[in-house]
Structures are given as C-alpha cells and as structure tokens.
Amino acid sequence: MFAVFSLLLVLIGARVYKGIVSDSENQGSVRSSISYVANKVRAAPEGVRLETRNGVDILVIPESGVDADYETLIYFSNGCLRELFKEADGSFSPDSGEEITALSSFSISSDGESLLITSGGMDGDTHSMHISLRAS
C-alpha cells in the first residue's frame, strides 16, 4: 500500500512540475520578446520607423554603413518573432528572418511619441510595454 501511494505522489508531483515549467517558459518568451525589442529600439542610433512590407508589419531600424545603408527588421510571422539584418535596398521575404521566439501574437504601434509593444504567449497571456521615442 505504501508503494502505491508513493508512486501516486511521484506521478502527481511530476505532473505539477511539468505544468509549472510550461507556464514559466511561456512567461519567459513573452517577457523576453518585449525586452528584446525594447533594447533594440533604445540602442538604435538613427531612430526607428514602422512599415508594412509584403503584408507584414515591421519595425525598421536603419543603419548607415560606409559602403551601403543597412536595416534591421523585426516582425512577427508564422507564429514567431523574427529579425532580419539586410541592405536597405535589398528584397524582403518574411521567412528570411531568424526566429527569435515562438509567440501566439505580437504587435507594435506608434502614436508618434512612443511605441506600444504587445506580445502574446502560447498560453494566451499577453503583456505590453510603452517605449518613448527619441526626438529627432
């Protein structure tokens, strides 16, 4: 009888632990995605802008190089937050970017003075952050 109850306790404990780890991973993805974008915006030497390309809303971070102009694109496509660094006049394909993290939703909007970043985890929980834009 002791062995049966001990086994039952271990199984219940493992199930609870698995649920806690899953919740923690979802929260980590949501918070990490917002922090990642916020840090990219704050570090942008030439400011940022929002655009739509190929039907995808994109945060564009321009950079002037010695030989050419470049841009970092941050966007949500196929269930993932993605980033693509490319020449400014190069073509854009949503699948080209490197996957940052899996999310259920992600959006960025601007009122001209700040950005609102909203990120949704696979568990349906969402978090948002306002980031003030630098005056140009």
Side-chain angles (χ1 to χ4, degrees):
M1 189 63 114
F2 177 75
V4 171
F5 284 123
S6 295
L7 180 60
L8 185 60
L9 184 61
V10 168
L11 292 175
I12 291 171
R15 189 175 194 186
V16 169
Y17 178 77
K18 189 175 182 181
I20 290 170
V21 169
S22 177
D23 288 347
S24 178
E25 287 175 356
N26 282 329
Q27 289 294 321
S29 293
V30 171
R31 290 185 180 138
S32 295
S33 66
I34 290 175
S35 295
Y36 181 80
V37 174
N39 287 333
K40 286 290 209 174
V41 169
R42 290 181 186 123
E46 299 175 25
V48 300
R49 65 182 183 274
L50 298 178
E51 294 182 5
T52 301
R53 298 183 189 175
N54 298 347
V56 177
D57 294 329
I58 301 172
L59 175 69
V60 180
I61 304 170
E63 296 180 39
S64 297
V66 175
D67 298 332
D69 291 331
Y70 300 93
E71 58 189 11
T72 299
L73 309 178
I74 298 176
Y75 56 96
F76 179 72
S77 177
N78 296 326
C80 290
L81 181 64
R82 297 174 181 263
E83 179 181 76
L84 177 64
F85 181 77
K86 64 177 204 63
E87 283 194 35
D89 58 359
S91 64
F92 167 71
S93 171
D95 294 331
S96 299
E98 184 173 339
E99 293 181 6
I100 304 301
T101 190
L103 299 169
S104 65
S105 63
F106 185 85
S107 66
I108 303 177
S109 60
S110 175
D111 64 6
E113 295 179 6
S114 67
L115 292 177
L116 172 62
I117 303 169
T118 304
S119 182
M122 297 305 199
D123 61 354
D125 198 18
T126 61
H127 291 275
S128 297
M129 177 187 280
H130 285 274
I131 303 171
S132 294
L133 296 173
R134 286 187 249 175
S136 318

